[in-house]
Amino acid sequence: MTDLTAVARSAVAGHLRQTRRRAAIVIGLLIAAALALQLDIGTGPSALTTMDLLRGLFDPSSLSRSSAVIVWEIRLPQALMAALVGAALAVAGAELQTILANPLASPFTLGMSSAATFGAAVAIVLGIGIPGVPRIGIISTNAFVFAFGSALLIQLLGRLRGTDGQTHVLFGIALFFTFNALVAIMQFIATEQALQQLVFWTLGSVTRANMESVAILAVVLLLVFPLAMASSWQLTALRLGQERASSFGVNVRNLKLFALLRVSALTGAAVAFVGTIAFIGLVGPHIARLLVGEDHRFFLPASACAGAVVMSLASCASKLVIPGIVLPIGLVTSLIGVPFFLALILIRKDRG
């Protein structure tokens, strides 16, 4: 009995140490995200110093009119948008990888981003939107509706042919190519002006961000993320397998359905304002998984912070690669995402 008590105490102490270590890592990632955000705000072609930026953030009247415009209407909205998009896509990717039991699942690889792009293309090229939506908002609204519809379609097809993750992934890949082909058709029939707007939008950019769009995305993230955290223990149980999760009382079908709804809301809201952003929904969760493991109480916030860090750094790179020119951030995430993801795979293989 004494030996059993000692073993139990040792196991509890080990669990507490592991929990404290994971919490410290999440806090560290949160600090890293804040520093990356500050670096992104401070990066740009103007000659503003870090002190000017900090003074302008806390006391806008201390800056000249032109400097205040740069800080409050250009750099701050774009930096906040980059961080929020990174967090939203990374959380969406983390939930997808869990419910589909596939490490390659993400809003981009499952066609949700392509669906959102097609929705925006319909608005840009054909001028078709949801009835009652103001013209200024039809691009964002269409992107959200099509992303949401693609998630529902994947769920519906999965129910018809089986609920295993592989089936969802195969349907998602089919949707990816289908919507990309439809976007190509939109580009083929577009006018020169619409084609220029559509191509720029499909590259992914935060340069059109403003405080209103930042506020909308922030509200969506603040509403959805707590719901994901509320399902964290069910998601962790699902990583043990559907049968084990069901034995714990988890309704797997409802869990997957509501997770897909959350993913579509995050993806639609993110893509609606910045266009297609590749690899963040894939890389962010893998970074978090390497650091904190599969416990979703830590995995989900770590994914959000990792996605925000990667997007903020990508935003900085987009402004520094070619002096005087801001590259679309989607191009940067694609360029750095591939080697970064290959490195993660090699690290995982070495550890395995």
Side-chain angles (χ1 to χ4, degrees):
M1 179 65 75
T2 304
D3 291 340
L4 288 175
T5 302
V7 170
R9 286 178 177 174
S10 176
V12 170
H15 175 72
L16 291 176
R17 282 196 300 272
Q18 189 178 54
T19 299
R20 286 194 291 267
R21 185 184 70 82
R22 288 171 173 171
I25 290 174
V26 172
I27 293 172
L29 284 172
L30 186 61
I31 295 173
L35 294 175
L37 175 65
Q38 182 181 347
L39 180 64
D40 190 16
I41 296 174
T43 303
S46 66
L48 290 172
T49 65
T50 303
M51 289 304 299
D52 291 335
L53 292 168
L54 293 176
R55 192 171 66 251
L57 290 175
F58 293 102
D59 184 15
S61 61
S62 64
L63 296 178
S64 64
R65 174 60 186 163
S66 59
S67 297
V69 168
I70 291 174
V71 173
W72 282 95
E73 297 185 18
I74 299 177
R75 290 196 183 182
L76 185 61
Q78 293 180 9
L80 289 174
M81 179 61 77
L84 289 173
V85 167
L89 293 180
V91 172
E95 289 213 74
L96 275 178
Q97 290 173 16
T98 297
I99 63 173
L100 302 181
N102 191 315
L104 295 180
S106 77
F108 184 77
T109 57
L110 289 185
M112 293 181 182
S113 295
S114 298
T117 301
F118 176 66
V122 170
I124 293 171
V125 177
L126 303 178
I128 298 175
I130 306 299
V133 175
R135 184 168 183 77
I136 193 173
I138 62 172
I139 296 177
S140 302
T141 306
N142 275 18
F144 174 79
V145 169
F146 275 76
F148 191 72
S150 68
L152 292 179
L153 185 59
I154 292 173
Q155 178 67 14
L156 176 62
L157 293 174
R159 286 196 173 192
L160 292 176
R161 299 297 301 173
T163 57
D164 60 289
Q166 186 178 2
T167 303
H168 287 94
V169 172
L170 291 175
F171 282 136
I173 292 173
L175 288 181
F176 173 82
F177 285 107
T178 300
F179 281 114
N180 279 352
L182 292 174
V183 171
I185 292 174
M186 289 291 108
Q187 291 176 334
F188 187 76
I189 65 175
T191 63
E192 183 176 351
Q193 183 180 4
L195 179 62
Q196 185 177 12
Q197 184 182 0
L198 178 58
V199 169
F200 186 77
W201 198 87
T202 55
L203 294 177
S205 174
V206 296
T207 55
R208 287 162 293 179
N210 52 48
M211 293 308 288
E212 288 77 16
S213 58
V214 168
I216 293 173
L217 181 55
V219 168
V220 172
L221 191 58
L222 288 174
L223 290 175
V224 173
F225 186 71
L227 297 176
M229 289 299 296
S231 301
S232 59
W233 78 265
Q234 293 100 323
L235 292 169
T236 303
L238 189 61
R239 293 296 297 165
L240 301 175
Q242 294 191 32
E243 293 184 358
R244 291 285 298 276
S246 298
S247 69
F248 295 147
V250 177
N251 187 326
V252 175
R253 175 169 292 189
N254 286 344
L255 178 64
K256 289 185 175 182
L257 174 61
F258 288 115
L260 278 178
L261 293 177
R262 291 193 295 270
V263 168
S264 60
L266 292 172
T267 304
V271 176
F273 294 118
V274 302
T276 304
I277 303 293
F279 283 105
I280 298 300
L282 200 61
V283 172
H286 278 278
I287 295 175
R289 189 174 288 111
L290 285 171
L291 294 174
V292 301
E294 297 286 358
D295 187 340
H296 282 61
R297 294 175 301 168
F298 305 99
F299 175 53
L300 292 176
S303 296
C305 293
V309 170
V310 175
M311 270 293 284
S312 294
L313 296 180
S315 178
C316 294
S318 72
K319 292 180 277 190
L320 296 174
V321 172
I322 302 177
I325 296 177
V326 180
L327 293 175
I329 194 171
L331 294 179
V332 178
T333 59
S334 297
L335 288 173
I336 67 175
V338 174
F340 195 59
F341 185 62
L342 290 176
L344 289 175
I345 293 175
L346 293 175
I347 291 173
R348 287 174 62 88
K349 185 176 181 181
D350 291 341
R351 289 188 175 185

